[in-house]
Amino acid sequence: MSTYNSKSLIAEEFISDTEIQATLAYAQENKHNRELIEQILAKGATYAGLSYKEAAVLLECDLPDIVERIYKLANEIKLKIYGRRIVMFAPLYLSNYCINGCRYCPYHGTNKTIARKQLTQEEITREVIALQDMGHKRLALETGEHPVYASLEYVLESIKTIYSIHHKNGAIRRVNVNIAATSVENYQKLRDAGIGTYILFQETYHKPTYEYLHPTGPKSDYAYHTEAMDRAMQAGIDDVGVGVLFGLNLYRYDFVGLLMHAEHLENTYGVGPHTISVPRIRPADSVDVNEYSNSISDEIFKRIVAILRIAVPYTGIIVSTRESEESRRQVLEIGVSQISGASSTSVGGYVEKEQENTSQFEVNDDRTLDEVVNWLLDLGYIPSFCTACYREGRTGDRFMQLAKSGQIVNCCQPNALMTLKEYLEDYASENTAKKGEKVIAEEVELITNPKVKATAKEYLQELHDGKRDFRF
Ligand code: SF4
Ligand code: SF4
């Protein structure tokens, strides 16, 4: 049994099982304590965030009026900090070779039925051109863990290739990377390669379950995996993305673990996670989802997203195409700020659509990017392809300071409109372009800073005239 210490560098001290159990008991005791809940909601309404303990009480509370107020507050915070903007991205699977034994993932090393593939640099070029031709500017690279077929050198070379490709007006301007936990030295190499966010999901914070789910391979080392973000931060990567795979373990436990991890990073390095992903387990080859009896309902999923929005107001929340159109619509309202669109979860799947036998999971939302953009516009959102912060050096605490002071809105809003304009000019269908132009014309008038508004208008005109890549 280890004592909880949020600044410790030892996994079992900053994610303390004893502390999580105590937090869950406290939440259970107080789930109908209206006085306490009022205090927590009042704190949330100041945009100061919540502790994992406070968030756990909200998650446990099932009083219908309070649940409604949680949604309302999450919606208000979302609108105040993120406006109607939704950042778009796509995953790019480079290699599905893997030496790990994760029981929930079809890429596990002993799965003999899945086709294995590692993209060559030429194939990556073709995939990236296909993604650019859809309009994507921001990618999340995905690989299994393999010393030969997914080596760090291969990933670094691939990043270089991706940034170098400019097909027509296309460009990938931010490459986020989701690869296995590695050493400080390797994280430094990733930082030097110009990655955006380093993403690594914990899957579950519950150690015995983690060890059951990861019986073999380097990922079976709970501490090495859990301490990966510390090594990444020590290596100078200051935008990190965390997440758990909901459905693997008791969601309450992982919810508290996730927020404990965020507090640890904030307290130790002065900056919490840049993003939190909330994947739920999906059917896939060689994975029996029925084995995971802890899968969460849509209602609980929505509540988790809303409370995360209140607890960590300045951390982006991401949902992928694992979620259906309807589920994505619901969580966009109460917290999600980034979504993937037109994703292929197979290796080489953007060029050869039929490659489903290499895929990591079945997508639930298989619309084209244009359909997703059109849908977002119909729902009143502003689809954004912005990648400006990382390119302007606004990462880590520099980004958080701007976000917390509210000044970031002077960048996000015009950048969203300008990158949407690029999308409309270069890739949109006629119908999407019409809707998008209307939104741009209305929204540009809502920019409050007169200087920013005037410059944004100039840039929008220049984009129409054929120039590209303006940013604040
Ligand atoms: Fe490999 Fe990642 Fe799948 Fe585990 S989750 S088997 S590490 S690709
Ligand atoms: Fe994100 Fe920065 Fe662009 Fe805002 S300006 S959308 S925070 S990259």
Side-chain angles (χ1 to χ4, degrees):
M1 192 167 80
S2 10
T3 320
Y4 174 59
N5 175 359
S6 81
K7 287 192 178 177
S8 167
L9 299 182
I10 298 167
E12 285 181 70
E13 290 181 358
F14 66 79
I15 305 289
S16 154
D17 177 65
T18 318
E19 178 66 10
I20 296 181
Q21 301 291 2
T23 302
L24 294 177
Y26 172 82
Q28 187 62 30
E29 256 166 52
N30 287 289
K31 66 180 186 180
H32 294 157
N33 180 344
R34 284 189 177 269
E35 200 185 329
L36 176 68
I37 291 169
E38 286 301 337
Q39 284 169 14
I40 297 172
L41 288 175
K43 182 179 171 194
T46 65
Y47 306 106
L50 302 178
S51 68
Y52 57 81
K53 219 167 167 180
E54 292 161 337
V57 173
L58 293 191
L59 186 63
E60 206 49 41
C61 176
D62 54 4
L63 299 166
D65 61 314
I66 300 289
V67 172
E68 272 320 300
R69 284 178 55 204
I70 289 171
Y71 290 149
K72 196 164 166 280
L73 178 58
N75 174 264
E76 278 167 26
I77 292 175
K78 163 106 199 285
L79 275 179
K80 170 86 179 163
I81 297 176
Y82 301 86
R84 308 290 298 170
R85 300 174 297 277
I86 304 293
V87 169
M88 310 296 301
F89 77 98
L92 173 57
Y93 283 76
L94 296 182
S95 167
N96 65 356
Y97 285 90
C98 194
I99 52 171
N100 286 310
C102 314
R103 291 183 193 267
Y104 50 84
C105 173
Y107 293 173
H108 65 79
T110 51
N111 183 1
K112 300 288 177 226
T113 59
I114 198 163
R116 302 283 170 176
K117 191 165 169 57
Q118 178 197 24
L119 295 181
T120 63
Q121 298 305 310
E122 292 69 36
E123 286 168 328
I124 291 173
T125 303
R126 287 202 290 277
E127 288 283 285
V128 170
I129 288 174
L131 284 156
Q132 289 183 0
D133 283 349
M134 286 183 224
H136 278 295
K137 300 282 187 268
R138 179 188 284 246
L139 298 185
L141 292 194
E142 314 274 344
T143 69
E145 179 165 12
H146 198 285
V148 178
Y149 298 117
S151 67
L152 188 80
E153 289 62 37
Y154 166 72
V155 173
L156 294 172
E157 190 188 356
S158 305
I159 294 169
K160 217 169 166 184
T161 300
I162 294 166
Y163 278 134
S164 74
I165 300 163
H166 298 281
H167 185 248
K168 298 183 181 162
N169 282 336
I172 298 302
R173 298 173 181 158
R174 179 176 178 128
V175 178
N176 297 334
V177 173
N178 181 355
I179 61 163
T182 187
S183 62
V184 172
E185 196 190 355
N186 283 346
Y187 284 128
Q188 280 166 344
K189 291 182 187 165
L190 283 171
R191 180 204 60 196
D192 294 345
I195 67 163
T197 310
Y198 172 64
I199 304 161
L200 183 70
F201 298 159
Q202 179 65 29
E203 322 297 4
T204 177
Y205 287 94
H206 186 247
K207 192 177 175 201
T209 308
Y210 183 94
E211 287 175 343
Y212 167 74
L213 291 166
H214 305 97
T216 53
K219 196 171 172 180
S220 61
D221 185 338
Y222 175 84
Y224 190 74
H225 190 82
T226 311
E227 293 158 10
M229 292 314 190
D230 294 82
R231 294 192 297 279
M233 290 231 168
Q234 287 153 14
I237 296 177
D238 47 11
D239 283 352
V240 298
V242 297
V244 292
L245 187 48
F246 283 110
L248 288 180
N249 185 39
L250 290 178
Y251 68 88
R252 295 173 175 89
Y253 192 101
D254 281 328
F255 176 82
V256 174
L258 193 57
L259 288 174
M260 221 173 222
H261 200 176
E263 274 187 38
H264 161 67
L265 296 174
E266 173 102 40
N267 292 344
T268 313
Y269 304 100
V271 55
H274 192 65
T275 55
I276 290 182
S277 298
V278 286
R280 277 194 287 185
I281 196 157
R282 292 280 301 142
D285 182 70
S286 177
V287 177
D288 179 7
V289 271
N290 298 320
E291 192 189 330
Y292 306 108
S293 54
N294 299 307
S295 59
I296 52 171
S297 66
D298 287 354
E299 175 59 28
I300 294 294
F301 182 62
K302 197 175 153 189
R303 232 188 280 173
I304 287 173
V305 172
I307 302 169
L308 284 176
R309 181 71 300 141
I310 302 170
V312 282
Y314 301 99
T315 297
I317 302 181
I318 301 178
V319 283
S320 72
T321 52
R322 281 173 189 263
E323 293 299 322
S324 67
E325 173 180 335
E326 176 52 21
S327 165
R328 300 212 304 169
R329 187 188 63 72
Q330 291 195 17
V331 288
L332 279 170
E333 267 174 40
I334 41 103
V336 165
S337 54
Q338 266 192 51
I339 64 171
S340 49
S343 301
S344 165
T345 59
S346 56
V347 185
Y350 291 109
V351 173
E352 291 185 43
K353 302 275 184 249
E354 74 279 11
Q355 297 227 345
E356 289 313 308
N357 63 341
T358 64
S359 78
Q360 195 184 27
F361 60 88
E362 289 175 19
V363 297
N364 217 333
D365 180 347
D366 58 4
R367 292 171 295 169
T368 65
L369 185 59
D370 190 69
E371 284 166 345
V372 175
V373 168
N374 196 302
W375 170 74
L376 287 172
L377 290 165
D378 277 342
L379 293 175
Y381 293 108
I382 308 169
S384 170
F385 294 85
C386 180
T387 55
C389 279
Y390 139 81
R391 299 169 78 213
E392 290 290 320
R394 293 191 296 256
T395 59
D397 54 352
R398 290 175 300 285
F399 166 78
M400 280 299 171
Q401 274 164 17
L402 273 174
K404 289 180 180 173
S405 69
Q407 288 176 50
I408 196 75
V409 76
N410 283 323
C411 302
C412 296
Q413 181 77 353
N415 285 339
L417 300 180
M418 292 189 305
T419 55
L420 175 60
K421 175 75 176 166
E422 282 187 326
Y423 176 80
L424 302 181
E425 292 283 341
D426 292 336
Y427 309 105
S429 65
E430 203 179 309
N431 182 276
T432 304
K434 212 166 136 197
K435 288 178 190 172
E437 291 293 353
K438 186 165 172 281
V439 166
I440 291 172
E442 287 163 5
E443 291 287 334
V444 76
E445 296 304 332
L446 302 180
I447 297 174
T448 45
N449 181 318
K451 212 169 141 207
V452 174
K453 189 197 281 189
T455 312
K457 283 185 175 178
E458 267 171 43
Y459 287 166
L460 284 166
Q461 183 56 48
E462 290 194 48
L463 286 164
H464 180 70
D465 296 340
K467 292 210 180 128
R468 292 292 174 266
D469 199 13
F470 295 98
R471 61 180 179 266
F472 284 88

